[in-house]
Amino acid sequence: MVLDFAQLCALLEIAPPVAATKAAATKTAAIKAAATQAAATQAAATQAAATQASRTDVEASAANAAPSQPRTADQARISGFTGVNSLALAGPSDLCFAEQRDQAEAVSRSRAGAVIVPLDFPTIDGPELLRTTRPRERFFSIAERFVPRPAAAGIHPSAVVDPSAQLGEAVSIGPNAVVGADTHIGPRSVIGAGSVIERNVSIGADCTLEANVTIQRNCELGARCILHSGCVIGGDGFGFVWDGSAHRKVPQLGRVVIEDEVDIGCNSCVDRATLGETRIRRGTKIDNLVQIAHNTDIGAHVILVSQSGVAGSSRLGTGTVVAGQVAISDHLEIGAGARIGGQAGVTKDVPAGATVFGTPARPMKQTLRELAALAQLPALLKTMKGWRAELMALKLQLSELERSLRKP
């Protein structure tokens, strides 16, 4: 994809900078003048060569008379943007963004074609500055246009699709993928290479399943979801009972329901319910290596960061944020908008809006005070040892005084 300068400014809802417009006009005029001069030189060379060589020699001379010039950064910028990048790695056809005024030096050093910046960003030499509100948000809305799409919809010859499966318009199924019986895949969804969709699965419109995703029987996926490579939806929950001599498996007969616009990271697992359903509600974002156990209910717009885990039958309210390596015990209620700090161990319910941290998880301020006190323990022990020595010396002096008083 190529996004030209005018299109970019239109997407940002800003007018093209005057400096950029003038520069573009100047460069265009210079290029035209150079082309005219090159053409004149070429014609003169051709006429001179015609008296000394054959027609073939004349053409060769003419071809060599005007060597091609390398494109400048400005010319690449005018021709369009072909990608987005960081300030440090960007090239002339890349678009970048900067949020803070203290990034001015990094922006000036960047080779980017243009940088989206806030309205109060300093005026500097370097890439073209596109001033707008919310530069980060604007940048990533444009970056979405550069996300690779399947070259063409269709079913790869090596894919196995059951005849009873219903495929919507423009569905793409990659190499070695398997689609089971009575499955429904919505329009424009993409099933990546090696993915397995078992029987009676429903997938909504505009979903993307990357390579080697597994969705097991009877599960449901809403619209516009993204499942990254290696994640497994609908595996058996971890259910066993001790019968006196061995652990006996409890049949896992429920399913998983994932609502619209859910994103699930690489190698994360969402277990099917023992009975009923495990549900991931609309807009939730799940990082890599996250475990969601059976019969959990993850609320809308929840964030679950990598290596966190939610045990069976717990409920997370809308907007909860769970940081990395958090463990949430079973049958707990985490209130809406709660924040759970990294590596916390949650063993009891968390009220709505609370921020907790530590193991066992407790209010953040309390935990920080406890940790601050804990950090002072070495110095406190040293002080106590000094006090103990002083106390022993005082006891010795007191004993000697008592003995001296007893003497006749």
Side-chain angles (χ1 to χ4, degrees):
M1 174 184 174
V2 177
L3 188 66
D4 67 35
F5 198 82
Q7 289 174 318
L8 174 59
C9 291
L11 290 171
L12 294 173
E13 299 178 340
I14 62 174
V18 175
T21 305
K22 290 181 178 179
T26 301
K27 291 176 183 66
T28 302
I31 292 170
K32 288 182 178 180
T36 302
Q37 184 177 358
T41 303
Q42 179 178 348
T46 302
Q47 184 176 2
T51 61
Q52 301 174 5
S54 65
R55 180 180 180 86
T56 302
D57 293 334
V58 171
E59 291 176 352
S61 298
N64 292 327
S68 60
Q69 298 296 320
R71 290 170 62 86
T72 67
D74 288 326
Q75 288 173 325
R77 179 176 62 205
I78 295 302
S79 66
F81 298 90
T82 59
V84 294
N85 213 326
S86 65
L87 290 169
L89 300 178
S93 60
D94 286 330
L95 176 68
C96 301
F97 82 103
E99 291 183 288
Q100 307 297 331
R101 293 174 62 87
D102 60 10
Q103 293 178 275
E105 185 177 349
V107 171
S108 67
R109 291 197 306 266
S110 178
R111 297 178 59 247
V115 181
I116 301 174
V117 297
L119 298 175
D120 62 349
F121 198 80
T123 299
I124 58 174
D125 293 331
E128 202 69 63
L129 301 183
L130 303 177
R131 300 178 185 274
T132 184
T133 57
R134 308 187 311 279
R136 173 185 288 267
E137 179 182 330
R138 300 273 189 157
F139 172 81
F140 284 109
S141 68
I142 292 170
E144 289 180 358
R145 296 171 175 265
F146 294 99
V147 175
R149 305 294 182 189
I155 302 173
H156 192 275
S158 63
V160 178
V161 180
D162 190 275
S164 64
Q166 301 177 40
L167 307 183
E169 179 184 2
V171 165
S172 177
I173 300 178
N176 300 312
V178 176
V179 178
D182 301 316
T183 287
H184 178 273
I185 301 177
R188 300 171 300 282
S189 286
V190 177
I191 310 301
S195 292
V196 176
I197 314 301
E198 294 188 358
R199 60 184 172 81
N200 198 33
V201 168
S202 175
I203 298 175
D206 300 299
C207 290
T208 298
L209 277 60
E210 295 183 349
N212 300 314
V213 169
T214 299
I215 303 182
Q216 297 191 5
R217 68 187 189 278
N218 303 328
C219 293
E220 180 180 336
L221 186 65
R224 301 176 298 284
C225 293
I226 300 176
L227 273 55
H228 295 271
S229 296
C231 72
V232 178
I233 308 300
D236 276 2
F238 190 73
F240 297 89
V241 293
W242 179 255
D243 66 0
S245 61
H247 295 289
R248 182 172 181 176
K249 184 174 178 61
V250 176
Q252 304 295 300
L253 302 176
R255 64 174 188 154
V256 174
V257 177
I258 297 175
E259 298 182 1
D260 297 347
E261 298 173 354
V262 170
D263 194 307
I264 301 179
C266 297
N267 298 321
S268 290
C269 298
V270 182
D271 292 346
R272 72 175 56 253
T274 304
L275 299 171
E277 63 183 33
T278 301
R279 182 172 287 266
I280 313 294
R281 297 185 184 274
R282 182 186 183 95
T284 284
K285 309 301 179 185
I286 299 174
D287 199 358
N288 303 333
L289 298 170
V290 172
Q291 162 67 15
I292 307 296
H294 54 206
N295 292 95
T296 55
D297 188 324
I298 308 299
H301 307 293
V302 168
I303 294 290
L304 285 159
V305 182
S306 61
Q307 299 183 10
S308 58
V310 184
S313 300
S314 286
R315 298 172 60 87
L316 274 62
T318 299
T320 298
V321 176
V322 179
Q325 297 186 331
V326 167
I328 298 176
S329 295
D330 59 292
H331 295 83
L332 296 184
E333 187 83 22
I334 311 300
R339 302 288 187 269
I340 303 176
Q343 297 188 325
V346 183
T347 58
K348 61 182 181 180
D349 292 349
V350 177
T355 299
V356 298
F357 180 57
T359 301
R362 48 209 186 276
M364 176 72 80
K365 290 183 179 180
Q366 174 187 338
T367 307
L368 293 177
R369 285 196 299 269
E370 292 171 357
L371 291 174
L374 187 64
Q376 297 176 32
L377 276 181
L380 182 58
L381 287 173
K382 184 177 180 180
T383 300
M384 290 183 66
K385 287 180 181 179
W387 289 346
R388 182 178 182 183
E390 291 179 8
L391 180 61
M392 295 301 293
L394 288 172
K395 284 184 176 180
L396 182 60
Q397 291 177 12
L398 182 59
S399 297
E400 291 175 351
L401 181 59
E402 289 176 346
R403 283 196 300 268
S404 64
L405 291 174
R406 291 194 189 105
K407 290 180 180 180

